Amino acid sequence: MTTPSYHIAVIPGDGIGTEVMPPAQKLLDLAGQRYGFSFEWEEFDWGCEYYSRTGRMMSENGIEQLAECDQIFLGAVGFPGVPDHVSLWGLLIPIRRAFQQYINLRPVKLLAGIESPLRKIPAGGIDFLVVRENNEGEYSESGGRLYRGTPQELAIQESVFTRFGVERAMRYAINLAEQRKGILASATKSNGIIHTMPFWDEILRELGTEHPDLKISEYHIDALAALFVLDPARFDVVVASNLFGDILTDLGAAIIGSIGIAPSANLNPEGRFPSMFEPVHGSAPDIAGQGKANPMGQIWAASMMLDHLGQEEAGKALLDTMEHVLEKTSVRTADIGGSSTTDEVSDALVAAFDQVSNAGATA
Ligand code: NAI
Ligand code: MG
């Protein structure tokens, strides 16, 4: 039998993206050796430095080049001097849209060995998934600015919600909830946002009638944010629009200990196009180049990529390895209360991987 080989586009990007990527690739290679597959890495030096040289965030035929790959593994983009809307709209958003990565899946799970900033939460006491609509909504190019630099200056930003786009995100979330505890929470704001959000709610109610078994609740986004802090244990799957999901998942990352741990999968669920896996965090210019970055968000994203490739056993081994190091050792970066460097965490994970994956094999 031939062992599968996956052709992966690697975009380390900027800042700490370039520091957390090598440890994640190392663990993926190890997982491949252990579970019988391999990676062919194709690295692209796109990002803000590339932009300062070329005036573009990615090469002109970048999307065509990525289309040749099985999946995309991204670090982070963004750097002082390049406006954030340029870096986002020049790379991440075009990739998410060209490849119909219409689901942004973000687990919010408190790992063993990590203390939540919330009081008295045991490991596993926070364990839910946020499904963020990833192709439309509030992140739209529709709108404009008029009378720049004059007293009448104005800006209009339009949100775009389509039945097609909302329905497919909700169906994905419903399906996930059915495989879990059957509890779905929807983020809305239909009191203040009077066109798009009532539309969002109506579609959810329609789909809900097809799934009477599910417990579906609608929450205004402000109250929902408070509940992430006050009662995170109530959530199982949360579905949200592009902006709401973005904001909620930074909060989700905070309650599980650090944004340095949280992962994110930009999924094209049908597999017609490559999906893209990345940590939730950005390029963290404040700590870049100091060896302080936590590589665990990138490694958890690697674990999600393995799941998507159908290598669930290997994906679980990476997550178990992280939990093993967090629970059994004091090796950890400063964002989660330690003083280890990125390399020290990486070495501890590599050392733990064999132990964990062998234990898994004999269990
Ligand atoms: P950020 O996530 O880069 O940093 C927020 C805070 O968390 C900082 O204090 C940082 O030091 C800390 N942090 C982040 N990741 C960490 C890690 N792995 N280990 C330890 N500490 C970590 O968000 P910020 O500061 O708002 O944005 C910085 C740049 O990143 C901006 O240019 C922004 O546009 C970009 N960005 C890019 C994203 C992406 O590529 N998907 C996502 C979010 C921001
Ligand atoms: Mg964000």
Side-chain angles (χ1 to χ4, degrees), residues 112-181:
I114 297 231
E115 203 182 334
S116 168
L118 305 180
R119 273 174 304 168
K120 293 186 269 184
I121 309 262
I126 302 173
D127 185 2
F128 60 91
L129 295 171
V130 178
V131 174
R132 163 185 170 193
E133 196 294 316
N134 209 30
N135 276 179
E136 53 174 51
E138 304 88 344
Y139 292 4
S140 127
E141 278 165 297
S142 177
R145 291 178 62 168
L146 288 177
Y147 307 118
R148 279 181 200 247
T150 73
Q152 304 105 294
E153 187 166 16
L154 68 95
I156 295 176
Q157 174 80 53
E158 289 171 317
S159 297
V160 176
F161 285 74
T162 67
R163 177 171 282 276
F164 176 74
V166 172
E167 252 194 55
R168 63 181 179 176
M170 286 180 176
R171 286 194 191 281
Y172 186 88
I174 284 171
N175 186 36
L176 275 183
E178 281 184 326
Q179 294 165 40
R180 292 171 56 101
K181 291 190 220 147

Coordinates of all heavy atoms in Angstrom, one line a residue, residues 112-181:
A112 N -6.5 20.3 29.7 CA -5.9 19.9 30.9 C -4.6 20.6 31.1 O -3.8 20.8 30.2 CB -5.7 18.4 31.0
G113 N -4.3 21.1 32.3 CA -3.0 21.7 32.6 C -3.0 23.2 32.4 O -2.0 23.9 32.5
I114 N -4.2 23.8 32.0 CA -4.3 25.2 31.8 C -5.3 25.8 32.7 O -6.4 25.2 32.9 CB -4.7 25.6 30.3 CG1 -3.7 25.1 29.4 CG2 -5.0 27.0 30.2 CD1 -3.2 26.1 28.4
E115 N -4.9 26.9 33.3 CA -5.9 27.5 34.2 C -6.6 28.6 33.5 O -6.0 29.5 32.8 CB -5.1 28.2 35.4 CG -5.9 28.3 36.6 CD -5.1 29.0 37.7 OE1 -3.9 28.9 37.7 OE2 -5.8 29.7 38.5
S116 N -8.0 28.6 33.5 CA -8.7 29.6 32.9 C -8.7 30.9 33.7 O -8.6 30.8 35.0 CB -10.2 29.2 32.7 OG -11.0 30.3 32.4
P117 N -8.7 32.1 33.1 CA -8.8 33.3 34.0 C -10.2 33.3 34.7 O -10.3 34.1 35.6 CB -8.7 34.4 33.0 CG -9.0 33.8 31.6 CD -8.7 32.4 31.7
L118 N -11.1 32.5 34.3 CA -12.4 32.5 35.0 C -12.2 31.6 36.2 O -11.4 30.7 36.3 CB -13.5 31.9 34.1 CG -13.7 32.5 32.8 CD1 -14.8 31.9 32.0 CD2 -14.0 34.0 32.9
R119 N -13.0 31.8 37.3 CA -12.8 31.1 38.5 C -13.4 29.7 38.4 O -14.4 29.5 37.8 CB -13.6 31.8 39.6 CG -12.7 32.9 40.3 CD -13.6 33.6 41.3 NE -14.7 34.2 40.6 CZ -15.8 34.7 41.3 NH1 -15.8 34.7 42.5 NH2 -16.8 35.2 40.6
K120 N -12.7 28.8 39.1 CA -13.3 27.4 39.3 C -13.8 26.7 38.1 O -14.8 26.1 38.1 CB -14.4 27.5 40.3 CG -14.0 28.0 41.7 CD -15.1 27.9 42.7 CE -15.8 29.3 42.8 NZ -16.8 29.5 43.7
I121 N -13.0 26.7 37.0 CA -13.4 25.9 35.9 C -12.5 24.8 35.7 O -11.3 25.0 35.6 CB -13.4 26.8 34.5 CG1 -14.1 28.1 34.7 CG2 -13.8 26.0 33.4 CD1 -15.5 28.2 34.2
P122 N -13.0 23.5 35.8 CA -12.1 22.4 35.7 C -11.7 22.2 34.2 O -12.4 22.7 33.3 CB -12.9 21.2 36.2 CG -14.3 21.6 35.9 CD -14.4 23.1 36.0
A123 N -10.7 21.4 33.9 CA -10.3 21.0 32.5 C -11.6 20.4 31.9 O -12.3 19.6 32.5 CB -9.2 20.0 32.5
G124 N -11.8 20.8 30.7 CA -13.0 20.3 30.0 C -14.3 21.0 30.4 O -15.4 20.8 29.8
G125 N -14.2 21.9 31.4 CA -15.4 22.6 31.8 C -15.9 23.6 30.8 O -17.0 24.2 30.9
I126 N -14.9 24.0 29.9 CA -15.3 24.8 28.8 C -15.0 23.9 27.5 O -13.9 23.5 27.4 CB -14.5 26.1 28.7 CG1 -14.7 26.9 29.9 CG2 -14.9 26.9 27.4 CD1 -13.7 28.1 30.0
D127 N -16.0 23.6 26.7 CA -15.8 22.8 25.6 C -16.9 23.0 24.6 O -18.0 22.3 24.6 CB -15.8 21.3 26.0 CG -15.4 20.4 24.9 OD1 -15.2 20.9 23.8 OD2 -15.4 19.2 25.1
F128 N -16.7 24.0 23.7 CA -17.7 24.2 22.6 C -17.0 24.6 21.4 O -15.8 24.9 21.3 CB -18.8 25.2 23.1 CG -18.3 26.6 23.5 CD1 -18.2 27.6 22.6 CD2 -17.9 26.9 24.8 CE1 -17.8 28.9 22.9 CE2 -17.5 28.2 25.2 CZ -17.4 29.2 24.2
L129 N -17.8 24.7 20.3 CA -17.3 25.0 19.0 C -18.0 26.3 18.5 O -19.2 26.4 18.6 CB -17.6 23.9 18.0 CG -16.9 22.6 18.2 CD1 -17.4 21.5 17.2 CD2 -15.4 22.7 18.0
V130 N -17.2 27.2 18.0 CA -17.9 28.4 17.3 C -17.8 28.2 15.8 O -16.7 27.9 15.3 CB -17.2 29.7 17.7 CG1 -17.9 30.9 17.0 CG2 -17.3 29.9 19.2
V131 N -18.9 28.3 15.2 CA -19.0 28.2 13.7 C -19.2 29.6 13.2 O -20.3 30.2 13.4 CB -20.1 27.3 13.2 CG1 -20.3 27.3 11.7 CG2 -19.9 25.9 13.7
R132 N -18.2 30.2 12.6 CA -18.3 31.6 12.1 C -18.5 31.5 10.6 O -17.7 30.9 9.9 CB -17.0 32.3 12.5 CG -16.7 33.6 11.8 CD -15.4 34.1 12.2 NE -15.0 35.2 11.3 CZ -13.8 35.7 11.3 NH1 -12.8 35.2 12.0 NH2 -13.5 36.7 10.5
E133 N -19.5 32.3 10.1 CA -19.7 32.4 8.7 C -18.5 33.2 8.2 O -18.1 34.2 8.7 CB -21.0 33.2 8.4 CG -21.5 33.0 7.0 CD -20.6 33.7 5.9 OE1 -20.2 34.8 6.2 OE2 -20.3 33.1 4.9
N134 N -17.9 32.7 7.1 CA -16.5 33.2 6.8 C -16.4 33.8 5.4 O -15.3 34.2 5.0 CB -15.6 32.0 6.9 CG -14.2 32.3 7.2 OD1 -13.9 33.3 7.9 ND2 -13.2 31.5 6.7
N135 N -17.5 34.0 4.7 CA -17.4 34.5 3.3 C -18.2 35.8 3.1 O -18.0 36.4 2.0 CB -17.9 33.4 2.3 CG -16.8 32.4 1.9 OD1 -17.1 31.5 1.2 ND2 -15.6 32.6 2.5
E136 N -19.0 36.2 4.0 CA -19.9 37.4 3.7 C -20.1 38.2 4.9 O -19.2 38.4 5.7 CB -21.1 37.0 2.9 CG -22.0 35.9 3.6 CD -23.3 35.6 2.9 OE1 -23.3 35.4 1.7 OE2 -24.3 35.6 3.6
G137 N -21.4 38.6 5.1 CA -21.7 39.3 6.3 C -21.1 40.7 6.4 O -21.1 41.5 5.4
E138 N -20.6 41.1 7.6 CA -20.2 42.4 7.8 C -18.9 42.7 7.1 O -18.5 43.9 6.9 CB -20.0 42.6 9.3 CG -21.2 42.4 10.2 CD -21.3 40.9 10.6 OE1 -20.6 40.0 10.0 OE2 -22.1 40.6 11.5
Y139 N -18.1 41.7 6.7 CA -16.8 41.9 6.0 C -17.1 42.0 4.5 O -17.0 41.0 3.8 CB -15.9 40.7 6.3 CG -15.4 40.8 7.8 CD1 -15.9 41.7 8.7 CD2 -14.4 39.9 8.3 CE1 -15.5 41.8 10.0 CE2 -14.0 39.9 9.6 CZ -14.6 40.9 10.4 OH -14.2 40.9 11.8
S140 N -17.5 43.1 4.1 CA -17.9 43.3 2.7 C -17.2 44.6 2.1 O -16.9 45.5 2.9 CB -19.5 43.5 2.7 OG -19.9 44.6 2.1
E141 N -17.1 44.5 0.8 CA -16.4 45.7 0.1 C -17.5 46.7 -0.3 O -17.1 47.7 -0.9 CB -15.7 45.2 -1.1 CG -14.4 44.6 -0.8 CD -13.8 43.8 -2.0 OE1 -14.5 42.8 -2.4 OE2 -12.8 44.2 -2.6
S142 N -18.7 46.4 0.0 CA -19.8 47.3 -0.4 C -19.9 48.5 0.5 O -20.0 48.4 1.7 CB -21.1 46.5 -0.4 OG -22.2 47.4 -0.7
G143 N -19.9 49.7 -0.2 CA -19.9 50.9 0.6 C -18.9 51.9 0.0 O -18.4 51.7 -1.1
G144 N -18.6 52.9 0.7 CA -17.7 53.9 0.2 C -17.5 55.1 1.1 O -18.1 55.2 2.1
R145 N -16.6 56.0 0.6 CA -16.4 57.2 1.4 C -16.6 58.4 0.5 O -16.2 58.3 -0.7 CB -15.0 57.2 2.0 CG -14.9 56.2 3.1 CD -13.5 56.1 3.7 NE -13.1 57.3 4.3 CZ -12.1 57.4 5.1 NH1 -11.3 56.4 5.4 NH2 -11.8 58.6 5.7
L146 N -17.2 59.4 1.0 CA -17.4 60.6 0.2 C -16.9 61.9 0.9 O -16.8 61.9 2.1 CB -18.9 60.8 0.0 CG -19.6 59.8 -1.0 CD1 -21.1 60.2 -1.0 CD2 -19.1 60.0 -2.4
Y147 N -16.6 62.9 0.1 CA -16.2 64.2 0.7 C -15.0 64.1 1.6 O -15.0 64.7 2.7 CB -17.4 64.9 1.4 CG -18.6 65.0 0.5 CD1 -19.8 64.3 0.9 CD2 -18.6 65.7 -0.7 CE1 -21.0 64.4 0.2 CE2 -19.8 65.8 -1.4 CZ -21.0 65.2 -1.0 OH -22.1 65.3 -1.8
R148 N -14.1 63.3 1.3 CA -12.9 63.1 2.2 C -12.3 64.4 2.5 O -12.1 65.3 1.6 CB -11.9 62.2 1.5 CG -12.2 60.7 1.6 CD -11.1 60.0 0.9 NE -11.5 58.6 0.5 CZ -11.1 57.5 1.1 NH1 -10.1 57.6 2.0 NH2 -11.5 56.3 0.8
G149 N -11.9 64.6 3.7 CA -11.2 65.8 4.2 C -12.0 67.0 4.3 O -11.5 68.1 4.5
T150 N -13.4 66.9 4.1 CA -14.2 68.1 4.2 C -15.1 67.9 5.4 O -15.3 66.7 5.9 CB -15.1 68.3 3.0 OG1 -16.1 67.3 3.0 CG2 -14.3 68.2 1.7
P151 N -15.8 68.9 5.9 CA -16.7 68.7 7.0 C -17.9 67.8 6.8 O -18.4 67.2 7.7 CB -17.2 70.2 7.3 CG -16.2 71.1 6.7 CD -15.7 70.3 5.5
Q152 N -18.2 67.6 5.5 CA -19.3 66.6 5.2 C -18.9 65.2 5.0 O -19.6 64.3 4.7 CB -20.1 66.9 3.9 CG -20.6 68.3 3.7 CD -19.8 69.1 2.7 OE1 -18.6 69.4 3.0 NE2 -20.3 69.4 1.5
E153 N -17.6 65.0 5.3 CA -17.0 63.6 5.1 C -17.9 62.5 5.7 O -18.5 62.7 6.8 CB -15.6 63.6 5.8 CG -14.9 62.3 5.5 CD -13.4 62.4 5.9 OE1 -13.1 63.3 6.7 OE2 -12.6 61.6 5.4
L154 N -18.0 61.4 4.9 CA -18.9 60.3 5.4 C -18.4 59.0 4.9 O -17.7 58.9 3.9 CB -20.3 60.5 5.0 CG -20.7 60.4 3.5 CD1 -21.2 59.0 3.2 CD2 -21.8 61.4 3.1
A155 N -18.7 57.9 5.6 CA -18.4 56.6 5.3 C -19.6 55.7 5.4 O -20.4 55.8 6.3 CB -17.3 56.0 6.2
I156 N -19.8 54.8 4.4 CA -21.0 53.9 4.4 C -20.4 52.5 4.3 O -19.6 52.2 3.3 CB -22.0 54.2 3.3 CG1 -22.6 55.5 3.6 CG2 -23.0 53.1 3.3 CD1 -23.6 56.0 2.5
Q157 N -20.8 51.6 5.2 CA -20.3 50.2 5.1 C -21.5 49.3 5.1 O -22.3 49.4 6.0 CB -19.4 49.9 6.3 CG -18.9 48.5 6.4 CD -17.8 48.2 5.5 OE1 -16.8 48.9 5.6 NE2 -17.9 47.1 4.7
E158 N -21.7 48.5 4.0 CA -22.9 47.7 4.0 C -22.5 46.2 4.3 O -21.5 45.7 3.9 CB -23.5 47.8 2.6 CG -24.2 49.1 2.4 CD -24.6 49.3 0.9 OE1 -23.8 49.0 0.0 OE2 -25.7 49.8 0.8
S159 N -23.4 45.6 5.0 CA -23.3 44.2 5.3 C -24.0 43.4 4.2 O -25.0 43.9 3.7 CB -23.9 43.8 6.6 OG -23.2 44.4 7.7
V160 N -23.5 42.2 3.9 CA -24.2 41.4 2.8 C -24.5 40.0 3.4 O -23.6 39.3 3.8 CB -23.3 41.3 1.6 CG1 -23.9 40.3 0.6 CG2 -23.0 42.6 1.0
F161 N -25.8 39.8 3.6 CA -26.2 38.4 4.0 C -27.1 37.8 3.0 O -28.1 38.4 2.6 CB -27.0 38.6 5.3 CG -26.2 38.9 6.5 CD1 -25.6 40.1 6.7 CD2 -25.9 37.9 7.5 CE1 -24.9 40.4 7.9 CE2 -25.2 38.2 8.6 CZ -24.6 39.4 8.8
T162 N -26.6 36.7 2.4 CA -27.5 36.0 1.4 C -28.1 34.7 2.1 O -27.5 34.1 3.0 CB -26.6 35.5 0.2 OG1 -25.7 34.5 0.7 CG2 -25.8 36.7 -0.4
R163 N -29.2 34.4 1.6 CA -29.9 33.2 2.1 C -29.0 32.0 1.9 O -28.8 31.1 2.8 CB -31.2 32.9 1.3 CG -32.0 31.7 1.7 CD -33.4 31.6 1.2 NE -34.3 32.5 1.9 CZ -34.9 32.1 3.0 NH1 -34.7 30.9 3.5 NH2 -35.7 32.9 3.6
F164 N -28.3 31.9 0.7 CA -27.4 30.8 0.4 C -26.3 30.7 1.4 O -26.0 29.7 2.0 CB -26.9 31.0 -1.0 CG -25.8 30.1 -1.4 CD1 -26.2 28.8 -1.8 CD2 -24.5 30.4 -1.5 CE1 -25.2 27.8 -2.2 CE2 -23.5 29.5 -1.9 CZ -23.9 28.2 -2.2
G165 N -25.7 31.9 1.7 CA -24.5 32.0 2.6 C -24.9 31.7 4.1 O -24.2 30.9 4.8
V166 N -26.0 32.2 4.5 CA -26.4 32.0 5.9 C -26.8 30.6 6.1 O -26.4 29.9 7.1 CB -27.6 33.0 6.2 CG1 -28.2 32.7 7.6 CG2 -27.1 34.5 6.2
E167 N -27.6 30.1 5.1 CA -28.1 28.7 5.3 C -27.0 27.7 5.4 O -27.1 26.8 6.2 CB -29.0 28.3 4.1 CG -30.5 28.3 4.4 CD -31.3 27.6 3.4 OE1 -31.0 26.5 3.0 OE2 -32.2 28.3 2.9
R168 N -26.0 27.8 4.5 CA -25.0 26.8 4.5 C -24.1 26.8 5.8 O -23.7 25.8 6.3 CB -24.1 26.8 3.3 CG -23.3 28.1 3.1 CD -22.5 27.9 1.7 NE -21.7 29.1 1.5 CZ -20.9 29.3 0.5 NH1 -20.7 28.4 -0.4 NH2 -20.2 30.4 0.4
A169 N -23.9 28.0 6.4 CA -23.2 28.1 7.6 C -24.1 27.5 8.7 O -23.6 26.7 9.6 CB -22.9 29.5 8.0
M170 N -25.3 27.8 8.7 CA -26.2 27.2 9.8 C -26.4 25.7 9.7 O -26.4 25.0 10.7 CB -27.6 27.9 9.7 CG -27.5 29.3 10.3 SD -29.1 30.1 10.2 CE -28.7 31.7 11.0
R171 N -26.5 25.2 8.4 CA -26.6 23.8 8.3 C -25.4 23.1 8.8 O -25.5 22.0 9.4 CB -26.9 23.4 6.8 CG -28.2 23.7 6.3 CD -28.5 23.0 5.0 NE -29.8 23.5 4.4 CZ -31.0 23.2 4.8 NH1 -31.1 22.2 5.8 NH2 -32.1 23.7 4.3
Y172 N -24.2 23.7 8.6 CA -23.0 23.1 9.1 C -23.0 23.0 10.6 O -22.7 22.0 11.2 CB -21.8 23.9 8.6 CG -20.4 23.3 8.9 CD1 -19.9 22.3 8.1 CD2 -19.8 23.6 10.1 CE1 -18.6 21.7 8.4 CE2 -18.6 23.0 10.5 CZ -18.0 22.1 9.6 OH -16.8 21.5 9.9
A173 N -23.5 24.1 11.2 CA -23.5 24.2 12.7 C -24.5 23.2 13.3 O -24.3 22.5 14.3 CB -23.8 25.6 13.1
I174 N -25.7 23.1 12.6 CA -26.7 22.2 13.0 C -26.2 20.7 13.0 O -26.3 20.0 13.9 CB -28.0 22.3 12.1 CG1 -28.7 23.6 12.5 CG2 -28.9 21.1 12.2 CD1 -29.8 24.0 11.6
N175 N -25.5 20.4 11.9 CA -24.9 19.1 11.8 C -23.9 18.8 12.9 O -24.0 17.7 13.5 CB -24.3 19.0 10.4 CG -23.8 17.6 10.1 OD1 -24.4 16.6 10.5 ND2 -22.7 17.5 9.4
L176 N -23.1 19.8 13.2 CA -22.1 19.6 14.3 C -22.9 19.4 15.6 O -22.5 18.5 16.4 CB -21.2 20.8 14.4 CG -20.0 20.9 13.6 CD1 -19.2 22.2 13.9 CD2 -19.1 19.7 13.7
A177 N -23.9 20.2 15.9 CA -24.6 20.1 17.1 C -25.2 18.7 17.3 O -25.3 18.1 18.3 CB -25.6 21.2 17.3
E178 N -25.7 18.2 16.1 CA -26.4 16.9 16.2 C -25.4 15.8 16.6 O -25.8 14.8 17.2 CB -27.0 16.6 14.8 CG -28.4 17.3 14.7 CD -29.1 17.0 13.5 OE1 -28.5 16.8 12.4 OE2 -30.4 16.9 13.5
Q179 N -24.1 16.0 16.2 CA -23.1 15.0 16.5 C -22.6 15.2 18.0 O -21.9 14.4 18.5 CB -21.9 15.1 15.6 CG -22.2 14.7 14.2 CD -21.1 15.2 13.2 OE1 -19.9 15.1 13.6 NE2 -21.4 15.7 12.1
R180 N -22.9 16.3 18.6 CA -22.4 16.6 19.9 C -23.6 16.5 20.9 O -24.3 15.5 20.9 CB -21.7 18.0 19.9 CG -20.4 17.9 19.2 CD -19.8 19.3 19.0 NE -19.6 20.0 20.2 CZ -18.4 20.1 20.9 NH1 -17.3 19.6 20.3 NH2 -18.3 20.7 22.0
K181 N -23.8 17.6 21.7 CA -24.9 17.5 22.7 C -26.2 18.0 22.2 O -27.2 18.0 23.0 CB -24.5 18.3 23.9 CG -23.3 17.8 24.7 CD -23.1 18.5 26.0 CE -21.7 18.8 26.3 NZ -21.4 20.0 27.0

